[in-house]
Amino acid sequence: MSDGRNGPVTIHDVARAAGVSIGTVSKALNNTGSLAPATREKVLAAVKALNFRPNVLAKSLHTGLSGTVGLISNDSFGRFTMPIMEGLEGVLSENGMGVFMCNATDDAEREKAHLEQLLAKQIDGIVVTSRRADRRPAVDLQGIGLPVIYVFSHSDDPDDLTLLPDDEGGAFTAVSHLIQSGRKRIAHVTGPDHFEAVRLRQKGWLAALAQAGLPPGPILHGEWSEAHGRALTTELMVGPFRPDAILCGNDRIARGAADALRESGLRVPEDVALVGFDNWKVMVEACRPPLTSVDMNLRELGAETGRRMVQMIRGTPQSGTIRLPCSLVLRDSA
Amino acid sequence: MSDGRNGPVTIHDVARAAGVSIGTVSKALNNTGSLAPATREKVLAAVKALNFRPNVLAKSLHTGLSGTVGLISNDSFGRFTMPIMEGLEGVLSENGMGVFMCNATDDAEREKAHLEQLLAKQIDGIVVTSRRADRRPAVDLQGIGLPVIYVFSHSDDPDDLTLLPDDEGGAFTAVSHLIQSGRKRIAHVTGPDHFEAVRLRQKGWLAALAQAGLPPGPILHGEWSEAHGRALTTELMVGPFRPDAILCGNDRIARGAADALRESGLRVPEDVALVGFDNWKVMVEACRPPLTSVDMNLRELGAETGRRMVQMIRGTPQSGTIRLPCSLVLRDSA
DNA sequence: TTGAAAGCGCTAACAT
DNA sequence: ATGTTAGCGCTTTCAA
């Protein structure tokens, strides 16, 4: 607490207290070189007594590594970034590393400013995340060779490493489940098709139908909202194709669908089964009935990002686009 | 790009390129000391040419300041932490500072581990946030005098600085609005009363009623869910007190209330007006009708945290509990 | 106005 | 086994 002098406790204070040189303290702290056990004990005792905490910034000057990663979000720390960040931070902090949060909100200027700050802070790597998984220009590292991972965001440079959920596989799994539980007329109500994820999920839906020899139902596009889920579902149900199941592009659409069906006197899942996408807790639980939904496992996506980032920082380069599996979470709607 | 040598460009490289000493480069960069304009130009030209970026870690060794703040969240980066983080990061990054994200999830061990990492990284301050605003033990800084701000979380040490939304004022504003629009029988359906926020909102509700000379309606407690919103509202409507308005403890409860009312044939807001709390976009917009709700202005709360953190780091100590105003966002339900 | 030199807290090679 | 010393990239006196 009161070490007599002012300012933080340094390695010199420890050396003095233990009656050794600072080099010896350093060795004791890092288990390097050779040291008499007794000396080590003495040093560690002084460290405890003085409550000494090594300054990692000073250490960084030597190693060239700061033990720090920058996370640039274009999601304003939104719903998708959160779990990714959680998984990432968990893995990195286990490795003694920290995460700098930056919010760029799809503003190139802000992103550039953040990049400058991060580089000045000597970060060891960059993670770029986004609100959606469409292609974006690669971050401009100005020739500085720094590991970069795009997660839930997609660099247009194929030499970059991009981590994404397997949207197509997720949709395939969901539709296969519907088919296995006896559904034969499966429609798809989803979001705007300028989203890559929308196109991929559509592909998975079609693939599962094709594999079972079932005809593709209609596909309806709209905004990602409950209101559109209701409207599109109503539209769908008065059409010629009477679905016995609907794969929804996200949980909000699915919840809108559930409401529309119930209010038109149809039962879920007896008359029409429903599967959502995102497995967003507040949505799936509030839905009537509770919604079966595809989970993109974003937490795990973030954790995998962390593991790969550690590898890259240690010198193993990685590139390409990797898709991690989604999982279907069963509830009452399908 | 290729500066001939390996590794990052240092101040020495710039000095060499500009034909001056490193001391001169430093002065040119920081506008300190006296320097011939021509020399400054020469240096800055070299900086540009080499794409030199000062190493702030090295600078930190002198200043003792890292330009870095740690944010310890106990919310797993949840819905409430997000906007706070966004506001905080915005202000701090404007000041050239960065934010380290840590997720402690209410685990004292994890919090301690994070604290150690943050201190080793020489952070200049700590922000502690939480899922709810109940009291918590102060972070143990072990005698290190470091600025700490509790936001959307409440230290049990009155000498700490705590920033919170004005729950009571928010409820008061909401109920006053209901009264002004002619409502006279105002009930309160809310969350578990072990939440400080619940008790404060209740207080605001009562105060507004008292000021208007209206009798307090019933108050019903339940979980923060739509299901409980529906159940409690149904219970309320069959009771002896026929409310013409309900202040809801959060938006989920309010949305449940809206559904229950509509499904029992009552119109919102004609028969019963509804006000929610949180102004959570997906909830208020999906609600039928769109929900009038109290916004806690968490983004601004985060921004204010950032401003005060900057002040504290600059040497102005602060303490006490400060409550920032909520605002009522009008939509169709009241 | 500019340069030389002494550190900031720490590591690591080299002496002893 | 331990101490000495030369930096890591930068700032900041103090001389010149």
Side-chain angles (χ1 to χ4, degrees):
Chain A
M1 204 114 328
S2 94
D3 48 291
R5 292 160 49 268
N6 257 352
V9 182
T10 76
I11 201 174
H12 288 99
D13 302 321
V14 177
R16 198 174 311 121
V20 298
S21 74
I22 60 164
T24 301
V25 175
S26 179
K27 283 179 212 160
L29 288 170
N30 302 296
N31 269 309
T32 56
S34 47
L35 224 45
T39 313
R40 173 186 313 287
E41 296 307 319
K42 223 171 28 178
V43 171
L44 295 182
V47 164
K48 267 253 141 35
L50 296 179
N51 195 19
F52 168 72
R53 209 182 319 276
N55 181 338
V56 307
L57 267 42
K59 184 184 229 165
S60 300
L61 273 191
H62 298 267
T63 60
L65 254 34
S66 62
T68 281
V69 167
L71 172 52
I72 298 182
S73 159
N74 283 299
D75 185 14
S76 296
F77 310 137
R79 189 159 54 82
F80 296 124
T81 295
M82 270 160 38
I84 293 173
M85 193 186 339
E86 193 187 336
L88 175 71
E89 193 269 347
V91 167
L92 290 183
S93 85
E94 279 170 18
N95 286 269
M97 309 185 61
V99 183
F100 274 122
M101 286 300 317
C102 303
N103 175 24
T105 43
D106 280 322
D107 175 341
E109 283 303 311
R110 276 178 68 91
E111 181 170 303
K112 190 165 165 42
H114 273 125
L115 203 54
E116 285 296 323
Q117 283 188 18
L118 289 173
L119 292 175
K121 290 206 154 74
Q122 309 297 112
I123 48 159
D124 302 332
I126 298 180
V127 174
V128 179
T129 187
S130 184
R131 197 175 48 253
R132 44 198 182 97
D134 296 326
R135 253 85 169 175
R136 51 151 290 154
V139 152
D140 180 15
L141 254 4
Q142 303 156 178
I144 302 174
L146 208 57
V148 184
I149 302 182
Y150 297 82
V151 54
F152 212 70
S153 91
H154 205 154
S155 168
D156 59 9
D157 182 344
D159 285 346
D160 286 326
L161 177 60
T162 294
L163 258 47
L164 293 168
D166 180 8
D167 289 289
E168 182 178 345
F172 185 91
T173 303
V175 175
S176 297
H177 165 76
L178 289 170
I179 294 171
Q180 274 171 16
S181 52
R183 309 292 168 163
K184 301 212 174 310
R185 311 180 58 75
I186 305 174
H188 189 17
V189 176
T190 186
D193 89 337
H194 60 81
F195 283 86
E196 187 175 53
V198 166
R199 299 190 298 272
L200 288 168
R201 291 169 194 179
Q202 172 174 357
K203 215 170 145 192
W205 165 66
L206 287 174
L209 291 175
Q211 181 179 292
L214 292 174
I219 176 165
L220 278 68
H221 296 278
E223 280 176 29
W224 292 116
S225 69
E226 292 187 45
H228 278 81
R230 288 195 299 271
L232 293 174
T233 301
T234 302
E235 184 184 318
L236 178 65
M237 298 312 293
V238 300
F241 184 91
R242 289 308 182 95
D244 56 10
I246 307 175
L247 172 67
C248 297
N250 75 353
D251 290 335
R252 297 167 71 180
I253 289 175
R255 188 171 173 191
D259 285 345
L261 291 169
R262 185 181 61 254
E263 286 163 16
S264 71
L266 290 166
R267 295 162 306 163
V268 176
E270 292 81 355
D271 300 320
V272 182
L274 237 36
V275 180
F277 218 106
D278 287 352
N279 195 32
W280 187 12
K281 202 162 184 291
V282 297
M283 279 295 148
V284 296
E285 287 178 358
C287 187
R288 292 183 280 168
L291 192 65
T292 291
S293 184
V294 177
D295 193 312
M296 294 189 284
N297 296 321
L298 295 181
R299 228 199 92 98
E300 172 54 24
L301 197 64
E304 182 64 18
T305 304
R307 281 178 227 116
R308 287 174 182 266
M309 180 53 81
V310 170
Q311 306 247 319
M312 288 172 86
I313 290 172
R314 290 188 182 147
T316 314
Q318 312 203 12
S319 70
T321 298
I322 294 170
R323 293 198 175 259
L324 265 53
C326 299
S327 35
L328 184 67
V329 179
L330 298 178
R331 292 195 186 78
D332 302 342
S333 71
Chain B
M1 201 113 327
S2 95
D3 47 290
R5 291 161 47 269
N6 257 352
V9 182
T10 76
I11 199 173
H12 288 99
D13 302 320
V14 176
R16 199 173 311 121
V20 297
S21 74
I22 61 165
T24 301
V25 175
S26 178
K27 283 178 212 160
L29 287 170
N30 302 296
N31 269 309
T32 55
S34 47
L35 224 46
T39 312
R40 172 185 314 287
E41 295 308 321
K42 221 171 29 177
V43 171
L44 296 182
V47 164
K48 266 254 141 34
L50 296 179
N51 194 18
F52 169 70
R53 209 183 319 277
N55 181 338
V56 307
L57 266 42
K59 185 184 227 164
S60 299
L61 273 191
H62 298 268
T63 60
L65 253 34
S66 62
T68 281
V69 167
L71 172 52
I72 298 183
S73 160
N74 284 300
D75 186 12
S76 295
F77 311 138
R79 188 160 54 83
F80 296 124
T81 295
M82 268 161 39
I84 293 172
M85 193 185 341
E86 193 186 337
L88 175 71
E89 194 268 347
V91 167
L92 290 183
S93 85
E94 279 169 19
N95 286 270
M97 308 184 60
V99 183
F100 273 121
M101 286 300 318
C102 303
N103 175 26
T105 42
D106 281 323
D107 176 340
E109 284 303 311
R110 277 179 67 90
E111 182 170 302
K112 190 165 167 40
H114 273 125
L115 202 54
E116 285 297 324
Q117 283 188 18
L118 289 173
L119 292 174
K121 290 205 154 75
Q122 308 298 113
I123 49 159
D124 302 332
I126 298 180
V127 174
V128 179
T129 187
S130 184
R131 195 175 49 251
R132 43 199 183 97
D134 296 327
R135 253 85 169 174
R136 50 150 291 152
V139 153
D140 180 15
L141 254 4
Q142 303 158 177
I144 302 174
L146 208 58
V148 184
I149 302 182
Y150 298 81
V151 54
F152 211 71
S153 90
H154 204 154
S155 168
D156 59 8
D157 182 344
D159 285 346
D160 286 326
L161 177 60
T162 294
L163 258 47
L164 294 168
D166 181 7
D167 291 289
E168 182 178 344
F172 185 92
T173 303
V175 174
S176 297
H177 166 75
L178 290 170
I179 293 170
Q180 273 171 17
S181 51
R183 310 291 167 162
K184 301 213 174 312
R185 312 178 58 74
I186 305 175
H188 189 18
V189 176
T190 185
D193 89 336
H194 59 81
F195 283 86
E196 188 174 53
V198 166
R199 298 190 299 272
L200 289 168
R201 291 168 195 179
Q202 172 175 357
K203 216 170 143 191
W205 165 66
L206 287 173
L209 291 175
Q211 181 179 290
L214 292 174
I219 175 166
L220 277 68
H221 296 279
E223 281 176 29
W224 293 115
S225 70
E226 292 187 46
H228 278 82
R230 288 196 299 271
L232 293 175
T233 300
T234 302
E235 184 184 320
L236 178 65
M237 298 311 293
V238 299
F241 184 91
R242 290 306 182 97
D244 57 11
I246 307 175
L247 172 67
C248 297
N250 75 354
D251 290 335
R252 296 167 71 179
I253 288 175
R255 188 171 173 192
D259 285 344
L261 291 169
R262 185 180 63 254
E263 286 164 16
S264 71
L266 290 167
R267 294 163 306 164
V268 177
E270 292 81 355
D271 300 319
V272 181
L274 238 35
V275 180
F277 218 106
D278 288 351
N279 196 32
W280 188 12
K281 201 161 184 291
V282 296
M283 279 295 147
V284 295
E285 287 178 358
C287 188
R288 292 183 280 168
L291 191 66
T292 291
S293 184
V294 177
D295 193 312
M296 294 189 284
N297 296 322
L298 294 181
R299 228 199 93 98
E300 171 55 23
L301 196 65
E304 180 66 17
T305 303
R307 280 179 228 115
R308 288 175 182 265
M309 180 52 80
V310 170
Q311 306 247 320
M312 288 172 86
I313 290 172
R314 289 188 183 147
T316 314
Q318 312 203 12
S319 71
T321 298
I322 294 169
R323 294 200 174 258
L324 264 52
C326 298
S327 36
L328 184 66
V329 178
L330 298 178
R331 293 196 184 78
D332 302 342
S333 71

